[in-house]
């Protein structure tokens, strides 16, 4: 086999040692430190990133728990406020209802009283008008002035007739 | 018309291209030496591209080289432990030198440096010598207790020691021969198949695809052999560090 020909052994060994030696020097002094440095830097960065991510995840979880608690507290507070507002509104409603009813009753009563007073006044006016008319009519019929005694008697009679008339009207 | 089949070993013959002499020794430049320089050039280029700019987000070449470096670092740590990291540059150089020698040798008309037994023997002997020095460095003369494994009955020691010595001495031989034979045989088979294919149309149809498949297998073997050589070097030196 040509590989066992010792003619080139010295040449191959010499150049192998030289080539390998140069490569070993290059790798150990330049290439490997640089590559290991990159790998270490990358590993450190990845580790830092993972640690940072883990820290942020824990922080986020804590904040989520805090927010949940706050939301729950706010929700309870809101419900309490709503309940209070509803109670307050109900109370106001009841009070207003009572006030309105009382006012209505008062106004109704006042109106009734007013109506009765007006009615009485009207009746009184009608009565006096009727008396006056009756007296004037009687004076004309008799063509003379009546004495105070006659006037009183006529007016009383007229009043009785008018009252009787109104009584009949009411019954009708 | 008789055609002569080309000698498959012809590919491995060397001829001086530039005759040189150094202190009486022939150091002439031949095809294998030029391929060695090519290996060095490619290796330097790869490492230069991988370490240029120290990019945190790697390029494809940088990723490939970094993966190989990390793979080798893990291999060194697994087989030799933390103490073995001092030898990481040697292991990386050894792996890439053998790998690129194997792969560049697959380029048609080039030469496989690792098909030269002198080269593989040099690497194997270097590994073996390093393992002895490492053993002596960490354990002193107690290192020679590797010839008598722990638990060996006292009466068996006279038999065990010669066996262990042979086993130890066989290591550089097997290491050198495994790589040399694998590289040589692979190229010979491709050469023979392609030579036979030229003889007939039938051979052309049958053997050219077979040679192409074999070529793919050779690429795989080139990588595997570099890995085997390196891991065995790590194991041998690791044994010297741990002793048993």
């Amino acid at each position: 086999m040509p590989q066992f020909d010792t003619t080139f052994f010295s040449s191959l060994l010499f150049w192998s040692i030289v080539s390998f030696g140069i490569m070993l020097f290059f790798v150990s002094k330049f290439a490997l430190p640089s590559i290991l440095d990159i790998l270490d830097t990358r590993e450190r960065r990845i580790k830092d990133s993972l640690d940072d991510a883990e820290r942020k995840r824990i922080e986020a979880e804590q904040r989520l728990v805090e927010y949940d608690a706050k939301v729950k507290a706010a929700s309870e507070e809101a419900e309490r406020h709503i309940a209070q507002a509803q109670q307050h509104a109900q109370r106001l409603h009841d009070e207003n209802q009572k006030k309105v009813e009382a006012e209505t009753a008062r106004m109704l009563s006042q109106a009734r009283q007013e109506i009765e007073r007006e009615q009485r006044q009207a009746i009184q006016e009608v009565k006096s008008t009727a008396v006056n008319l009756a007296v004037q009519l009687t004076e004309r019929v008799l063509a003379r002035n009546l004495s105070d005694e006659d006037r009183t008697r006529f007016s009383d009679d007229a009043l009785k007739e008018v009252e009787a008339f109104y009584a009949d009207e009411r019954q009708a | 018309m008789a055609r002569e089949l080309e000698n498959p070993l012809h590919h491995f013959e060397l001829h001086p291209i530039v005759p040189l002499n150094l202190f009486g020794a022939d150091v002439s430049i031949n095809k294998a030496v030029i391929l060695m320089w090519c290996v060095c050039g490619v290796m330097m280029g790869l490492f230069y591209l991988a370490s240029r700019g120290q990019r945190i987000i790697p390029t494809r070449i940088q990723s490939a080289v970094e993966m190989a470096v990390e793979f080798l670092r893990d291999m060194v740590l697994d087989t030799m432990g933390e103490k073995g990291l001092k030898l990481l540059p040697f292991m990386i150089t050894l792996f890439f030198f053998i790998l690129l020698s194997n792969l560049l040798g697959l380029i048609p008309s080039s030469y496989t440096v690792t098909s030269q037994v002198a080269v593989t023997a040099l690497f194997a002997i270097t590994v073996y010598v390093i393992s002895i020095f490492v053993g002596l460095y960490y354990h002193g003369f107690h290192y020679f207790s590797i010839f008598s494994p722990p638990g060996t009955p006292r009466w068996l020691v006279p038999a065990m020691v010669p066996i262990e010595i042979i086993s130890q001495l066989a290591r550089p031989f097997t290491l050198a021969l495994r790589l040399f034979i694998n590289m040589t045989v692979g190229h010979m088979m491709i050469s023979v198949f392609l030579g036979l294919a030229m003889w007939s149309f039938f051979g052309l149809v049958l053997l050219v695809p077979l040679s192409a498949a074999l070529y793919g297998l050779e690429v795989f073997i080139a990588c595997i052999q570099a890995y085997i050589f390196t891991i065995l070097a790590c194991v041998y030196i690791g044994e010297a560090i741990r002793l048993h």
Side-chain angles (χ1 to χ4, degrees), chain B residues 40-63:
Chain B
C40 291
V42 172
M43 197 167 158
M44 278 186 177
L46 273 178
F47 279 106
Y48 171 72
L49 290 174
S51 58
R52 184 183 56 177
Q54 295 212 320
R55 285 176 290 257
I56 294 296
I57 299 166
T59 58
R60 288 178 185 176
I61 291 176
Q62 188 182 343
S63 287

Side-chain angles (χ1 to χ4, degrees), chain A residues 94-107:
Chain A
D94 293 346
E95 282 173 7
N96 283 340
Q97 187 77 22
K98 282 175 188 171
K99 278 182 187 172
V100 166
E101 283 174 3
E103 185 69 16
T104 308
R106 190 184 62 76
M107 285 171 74

